[in-house]
Amino acid sequence: VQLQASGGGLVQPGGSLRLSCAASGSIFSINAMGWYRQAPGKQRELVATVTSGGSTNYADSVKGRFTISRDNAKNTVYLQMNSLKPEDTTVYYCNAGVRDFLGRTVQYWGQGTLVTVSS
């Protein structure tokens, strides 16, 4: 199973970006999917998660600005980021709990995509 993240880049403060992450491989189903971020020298922190049923959870720092969604038919999770701030600058990682055809559930991580918010 592979998670391929895309959509990072450079944006001005107040701007928007949309991250995407597609899962591929031997997938029976996917439980929760999410986005995390990690600044240099700091622990990886949760940004947002979404269950297979569509329930969402957000870090307080992004509530009202970021929206997580998923397309179960495409095994893809999205993160719409609006009103971006310089402190949102870091590498973003997607995560998925993938259940394979043998009934095993394994957590997978994408390769990370850099978001830079700067004027």
Side-chain angles (χ1 to χ4, degrees), residues 39-111:
K42 294 188 176 182
Q43 286 190 329
R44 191 167 297 186
E45 64 176 8
L46 179 147
V47 176
T49 60
V50 57
T51 68
S52 57
S55 296
T56 59
N57 181 49
Y58 294 94
D60 288 342
S61 59
V62 306
K63 281 181 181 177
R65 300 188 298 124
F66 292 8
T67 302
I68 190 170
S69 61
R70 63 189 282 174
D71 184 331
N72 292 329
K74 296 181 178 180
N75 292 331
T76 299
V77 62
Y78 306 97
L79 186 68
Q80 178 65 44
M81 304 185 293
N82 299 328
S83 302
L84 282 160
K85 304 175 181 180
E87 51 263 43
D88 295 317
T89 296
T90 190
V91 179
Y92 286 71
Y93 297 89
C94 58
N95 170 272
V98 177
R99 187 176 183 187
D100 63 20
F101 290 92
L102 297 178
R104 302 169 299 189
T105 298
V106 178
Q107 296 293 324
Y108 290 93
W109 292 91
Q111 82 280 13

